[in-house]
Amino acid sequence: MDMNAPRPEGLTGGYGPFAHLTAPNVLLYRSLMRAFLAAKERFAVHLRPEDVHAALPAGTRPAEVDAVAKALDALVAWGNLRADPDTGRVTAVEDFYRKRFIYQLTREGEAAEKALSAYDEALGLRGALQAVALHDIVTQLRALLVLAAEEEPDPAKTHLALDGLASRFAALADNARAFMGSLQRTIDLHDVAEDVFLAYKDQLIRYLERFIQDLITLGGRIARLILELEDGRRIQPLLRSAAAREAADATPQEAAHAEEAAYERWAGRWAGLTAWFLSRDGRESQSRLLRGRALGAIPQLLAVVRSLNERRAGRSDRSADFRTLALWFAEAPDDDARHQLWRTAFGLYPARHLTLDAETHAARLARPEPAATPWAGAEPLRISPQLRRTGSYERRGKPRKVEDRQEARLLLAQTAAKQAAETAAARARLVTGGITRLSGLGELDPASFRFFLQLLGDALATWRPGMKHTTATSNDGAMEIRLTALPDGPTTEVRTPEGIFRGPDHAIEIVDLTAGTEGGDGP
């Protein structure tokens, strides 16, 4: 092969290894590159054209080996492959003059193919809501609590626990983002057929409900474990230990700053984990946002099903209306009829403040302007503008004063402080100090009652048929409610200034996790 031959068109600068993407035979080129990448994973470095031909899938495999050899030469010219003379099969002098090459991936070609593989994988990623990852995160956090209780935690165990926690959390977050994106495309019926959607919508709704229940149960437990690790800054020594273990393998040039850089990375990962499960500084946690988004997707899915059923039942919808209207426009006899149809359908009429007077109208009838006449070349339209009659429309006088918003800011600050105090008082009012009954809560003020309903709703969301006891944690990880069904199941009342709340009586215990009043075991 002539290595000095001009490169194929489309090769520009350092992007040559991607030039085959715009070539006419792109599917063959992609298959060839995937075959070389798969061979390298099996530690096969050099391939002959016949080996590549046999490795190609049946859908893209040419009939002749020569076609594969020609495509390989093009990839060599683009820089994806390197060709070396095949001297292993030379048995006579004449073989030296034959065109025989073995091919291997270049560094540029391998990098380009890996980038394209990552692109294909990300493009096809549908994601999943991983309840198993939530369980794994709980397990890793418990392991970190055990290590934090030791006087000198083992660096290897600490690093492995933190690394497992980070990997599971990253997988959970990435898959959740991908799943919610694919769920929205499903709701919008993008990239999915109607029959396929109707066939699996029940499974999707049950899947969402199951994950929401797990997220409520395990999300509060994870938030509580995070708060326990942050209590007394017990997590920082563990992060330092993992950073020191990573920095031990740093090169001499990077040794001076390697440990601090590694600690910053671990601190950032921990901050991302806490932001996912804890609501702080007026910002809702990502798990709560995910729960709300998943809950909102269920009625949206049902609305899509309703719309499809109505469409199949023959009811009119907007797309059918527009298609019918387009047919009417096509069947209209002339432009006047089309203009009348347009005004009737959309209610659009000429601007009433630009009406013609009788004299101008008569002049236009006497000398009509062709429709192709440019606007600048047509006879000017005589109108009586409003400004010509009234003069300047400028509003005269002094400019408006700059408004002082100091009082408004003070009012907002006072309101925020008042709401924070009400929330703290409501939480203190609900702490039971032990196991009691719902009937023993007494009368609740509106703020305490709203917070009580939120806690009760989180607990009942985890309830299953046959269960007698459940535990739930508030979204910020500050309060925990423990609910136990009573065997007799009497009806009780909780009185509030706004009315009476009635329901089956339960044994209840509400604990303030931030005050250190809990006396039970960990989650």
Side-chain angles (χ1 to χ4, degrees), residues 214-282:
D214 291 333
L215 186 61
I216 292 173
T217 305
L218 298 175
R221 192 174 299 175
I222 291 172
R224 179 181 170 186
L225 291 170
I226 291 174
L227 289 174
E228 290 183 19
L229 280 168
E230 291 187 342
D231 184 23
R233 300 179 62 84
R234 289 191 284 176
I235 188 61
Q236 274 70 24
L238 300 180
L239 299 179
R240 289 283 183 190
S241 176
R245 191 167 187 267
E246 284 188 358
D249 294 331
T251 61
Q253 294 84 357
E254 300 175 350
H257 308 286
E259 184 173 348
E260 191 61 30
Y263 175 75
E264 290 180 0
R265 286 196 300 271
W266 279 113
R269 293 168 185 169
W270 180 259
L273 177 67
T274 57
W276 229 83
F277 291 100
L278 289 179
S279 298
R280 287 176 172 172
D281 303 328

Side-chain angles (χ1 to χ4, degrees), residues 400-419:
R400 295 179 61 183
K401 294 182 179 180
V402 177
E403 186 176 354
D404 185 6
R405 302 186 183 275
Q406 187 67 26
E407 294 184 1
R409 295 193 187 96
L410 181 60
L411 179 61
L412 288 175
Q414 293 174 350
T415 303
K418 181 181 178 182
Q419 291 176 349

Side-chain angles (χ1 to χ4, degrees), residues 437-439 486 488-494 501-506:
R437 288 194 174 193
L438 286 175
S439 54
L486 298 176
D488 50 352
T491 301
T492 186
E493 295 181 350
V494 177
F501 177 76
R502 294 184 178 88
D505 202 2
H506 287 71

Side-chain angles (χ1 to χ4, degrees), residues 20-21 25-35 75 113 116-117 120:
H20 64 285
L21 299 178
N25 211 5
V26 60
L27 294 180
L28 176 59
Y29 293 133
R30 289 299 310 277
S31 298
L32 292 173
M33 294 301 297
R34 281 194 289 265
L75 289 171
E113 186 57 32
L116 292 173
S117 300
D120 292 338

Side-chain angles (χ1 to χ4, degrees), residues 38-100:
K40 186 169 184 179
E41 293 175 354
R42 300 191 304 269
F43 305 102
V45 179
H46 297 88
L47 293 179
R48 295 183 173 89
E50 53 268 25
D51 299 331
V52 180
H53 182 268
L56 291 177
T60 57
R61 182 189 301 157
E64 301 294 335
V65 180
D66 292 342
V68 173
K70 184 177 179 181
L72 292 175
D73 292 341
L75 289 171
V76 170
W78 282 317
N80 300 79
L81 301 176
R82 193 183 78 186
D84 297 314
D86 186 6
T87 59
R89 295 183 295 177
V90 174
T91 58
V93 177
E94 292 79 6
D95 292 337
F96 279 102
Y97 298 99
R98 294 178 182 176
K99 182 180 177 181
R100 296 179 183 272

Side-chain angles (χ1 to χ4, degrees), residues 442-458:
E443 184 173 347
L444 299 178
D445 59 89
S448 299
F449 183 64
R450 285 193 298 270
F451 195 71
F452 166 72
L453 284 181
Q454 182 180 354
L455 280 173
L456 186 62
D458 289 341

